[in-house]
């Protein structure tokens, strides 16, 4: 921050200008500065809410994981520019965010009550996507908390509460978005991709709620469709084969690279990695075109920015274990279906 205090009207107007601008938002120097100042103003709120959540967890649910973050500037811009929903920068709910991940649904309900009581959360500030997911399959319970700071009154912080299994699905979607560029998290991707991950979310939820036997026919239909979609898309194979790339690309030796070219073989379940710095972007594109022409139906080529791996690692530091849980549960469900 440059020390200047911007009014909420200035923040809202900056958001409108950035949303309407088709180029890189950083080209709008004044508006970009306002966005960053507004983002940083939420840092105190996030720190305080995270500390209070950590205390609640330590006293009542010590196995839970609490993390906090400020929404990345590029993610804020993407949200402002979404065509399906109009957002005002000054009214965004999740610039400051905290996430609490618990082991079981019972722990989720316990902490839910504690969060509502401790933060005095009004009923209309709770969004429940646990038993009934969002349209894309996302499951979590959100709580909107407001806090005053020395600069602004009523700054919002969104608390997300979910189980490890629900978090594993969200992690799988995030990783898939990075390696495929599908944009499922923001409502993009093909119809097949959306149906696949939405169906897997439902199947995992049925299992987590202990309803496999009572919803056997529904679960069978969901899993059969997911299996058929995956046979067309190779989405799970792509995710499985390239999941190790996130760890590799976050290692020190690749920190100065800009582009990562992934050559994925689904049949052999391995990924070959080529990296390029900014000065060799043309070389990266030429290699991409060459490999794209030569690939077989069971191979794929993806060109990904190294920064996207870095951002993923920051948002999902335990992503490897989370992805492992996702595949363990999906494999169990698919084996169950085959045994019917």
């Amino acid at each position: 921050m440059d020390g200047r205090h911007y009014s909420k009207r200035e923040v809202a107007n900056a958001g409108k200008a950035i949303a309407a601008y088709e180029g890189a938002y950083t080209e709008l120097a004044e508006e970009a500065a306002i966005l960053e100042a507004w983002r940083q103003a939420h840092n105190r709120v996030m720190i305080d809410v995270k500390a209070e959540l950590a205390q609640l967890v330590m006293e009542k649910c010590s196995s839970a994981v609490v993390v906090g973050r400020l929404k990345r500037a590029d993610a804020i811009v993407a949200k402002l520019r979404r065509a399906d929903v109009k957002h005002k920068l000054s009214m965004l709910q999740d610039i400051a965010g905290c996430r609490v991940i618990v082991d079981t649904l019972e722990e989720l309900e316990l902490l839910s009550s504690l969060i509502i009581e401790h933060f005095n959360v009004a009923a209309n500030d709770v969004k429940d996507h646990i038993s009934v997911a969002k349209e894309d399959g996302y499951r979590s319970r959100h709580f909107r908390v407001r806090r005053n700071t020395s600069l602004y009154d009523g700054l919002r912080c969104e608390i997300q509460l979910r189980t490890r299994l629900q978090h594993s699905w969200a992690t799988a979607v995030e990783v898939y978005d990075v390696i495929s560029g599908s944009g499922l998290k923001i409502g993009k991707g093909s119809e097949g991709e959306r149906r696949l991950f939405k169906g897997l979310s439902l199947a995992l939820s049925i299992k987590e709620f202990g309803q496999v036997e009572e919803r056997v026919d529904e679960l069978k239909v969901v899993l059969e469709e997911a299996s058929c979609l995956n046979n067309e898309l190779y989405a799970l194979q792509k995710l499985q084969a390239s999941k190790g790339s996130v760890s590799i690309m976050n290692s020190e030796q690749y920190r100065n690279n800009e582009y990562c070219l992934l050559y994925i073989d689904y049949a052999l379940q391995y990924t070959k990695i080529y990296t390029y710095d900014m000065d060799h972007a043309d070389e990266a594109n030429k290699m991409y075109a060459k490999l794209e022409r030569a690939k077989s139906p069971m191979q794929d080529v993806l060109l990904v920015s190294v920064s996207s791996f870095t951002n993923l690692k920051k948002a999902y530091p335990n992503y490897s274990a989370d992805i492992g849980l996702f595949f363990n549960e999906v494999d169990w469900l698919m084996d169950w279906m085959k045994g019917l």
Side-chain angles (χ1 to χ4, degrees):
M1 290 179 63
D2 59 8
R4 179 179 167 186
H5 175 265
Y6 298 98
S7 69
K8 289 187 177 181
R9 181 185 294 274
E10 288 177 300
V11 171
N13 288 338
K16 287 180 183 178
I18 289 171
Y21 190 65
E22 295 183 357
Y25 82 95
T26 51
E27 295 174 0
L28 302 174
E30 177 66 14
E31 288 80 3
I34 294 174
L35 183 150
E36 183 58 21
W38 182 244
R39 193 178 80 91
Q40 290 297 331
H42 287 74
N43 195 50
R44 182 72 261 165
V45 176
M46 183 272 291
I47 291 172
D48 289 346
V49 170
K50 180 185 174 185
E52 292 171 40
L53 283 170
Q55 186 65 33
L56 278 179
V57 163
M58 183 173 65
E59 294 173 356
K60 301 293 185 179
C61 187
S62 59
S63 64
V65 175
V66 180
V67 294
R69 64 98 181 100
L70 289 183
K71 200 175 191 72
R72 299 192 319 273
D74 61 331
I76 294 173
V77 172
K79 197 164 191 176
L80 292 174
R81 290 177 174 175
R82 283 183 63 169
D84 56 334
V85 183
K86 296 298 182 184
H87 293 285
K88 290 178 64 176
L89 178 57
S90 58
M91 297 295 289
L92 286 184
Q93 311 291 335
D94 60 347
I95 292 178
C98 292
R99 181 180 297 141
V100 184
I101 305 163
V102 297
D103 288 332
T104 67
L105 290 166
E106 290 75 19
E107 290 176 343
L108 184 144
E109 294 301 337
L110 170 63
L111 278 181
S112 182
S113 298
L114 292 172
I115 288 169
I116 290 171
E117 179 181 358
H118 178 83
F119 293 100
N120 194 27
V121 183
N124 62 352
D125 283 330
V126 180
K127 290 186 178 180
D128 192 359
H129 305 295
I130 298 294
S131 56
V132 179
K134 292 178 73 173
E135 179 60 30
D136 61 0
Y138 173 85
R139 295 177 191 273
S140 184
R141 188 170 292 160
H142 293 186
F143 308 85
R144 188 168 57 205
V145 175
R146 294 178 176 83
R147 287 293 172 87
N148 298 331
T149 69
S150 59
L151 293 177
Y152 298 100
D153 291 338
L155 291 185
R156 298 167 176 85
C157 180
E158 181 181 81
I159 300 171
Q160 299 175 357
L161 177 62
R162 60 176 72 149
T163 66
R164 292 187 189 278
L165 187 55
Q166 292 158 358
H167 184 65
S168 76
W169 177 90
T171 305
V173 171
E174 290 274 0
V175 177
Y176 185 77
D177 272 356
V178 167
I179 64 175
S180 69
S182 59
L184 289 171
K185 187 180 177 182
I186 57 174
K188 296 182 179 180
S190 69
E191 180 183 355
E193 289 171 323
R194 293 194 300 271
R195 284 166 54 199
L196 170 62
F197 282 96
K198 181 178 180 179
L200 291 175
S201 169
L202 176 57
L204 292 169
S205 179
I206 290 173
K207 183 176 185 294
E208 183 164 37
F209 274 89
Q211 299 172 338
V212 170
E213 297 306 321
E214 63 188 86
R215 299 172 69 178
V216 60
D217 293 335
E218 177 187 7
L219 181 56
K220 184 173 181 288
V221 170
V222 169
L223 290 173
E224 285 176 344
E225 181 187 41
S227 181
C228 289
L229 288 168
N230 189 58
N231 287 339
E232 297 173 8
L233 298 167
Y234 297 113
L236 296 182
Q237 292 90 331
K238 183 182 295 185
L239 191 56
Q240 183 76 271
S242 57
K243 64 181 182 181
S245 305
V246 184
S247 289
I248 295 170
M249 293 312 302
N250 274 286
S251 62
E252 186 70 31
Q253 69 187 100
Y254 295 115
R255 185 157 296 176
N256 295 322
N257 288 292
E258 185 72 19
Y259 302 104
C260 169
L261 191 59
L262 306 178
Y263 186 66
I264 304 170
D265 191 303
Y266 301 130
L268 298 178
Q269 281 291 290
Y270 80 87
T271 302
K272 189 170 184 178
I273 301 174
Y274 303 84
T275 57
Y276 303 88
D277 59 26
M278 180 68 81
D279 294 334
H280 294 84
D282 288 343
E283 185 179 335
N285 284 308
K286 287 177 182 177
M287 177 61 83
Y288 174 81
K290 177 182 177 181
L291 294 175
E292 180 71 22
R293 288 192 300 269
K295 73 177 184 179
S296 72
M298 288 296 289
Q299 295 172 330
D300 212 346
V301 184
L302 307 166
L303 186 60
V304 184
S305 70
V306 171
S307 62
S308 64
F309 284 109
T310 304
N311 291 331
L312 176 66
K313 183 68 173 176
K314 288 178 180 177
Y316 293 81
N318 298 314
Y319 86 94
S320 183
D322 297 328
I323 284 290
L325 175 60
F326 172 79
F327 276 111
N328 286 342
E329 295 297 314
V330 169
D331 288 346
W332 186 96
L333 287 164
M334 291 302 180
D335 288 342
W336 171 86
M337 179 186 67
K338 293 172 185 175
L340 291 177

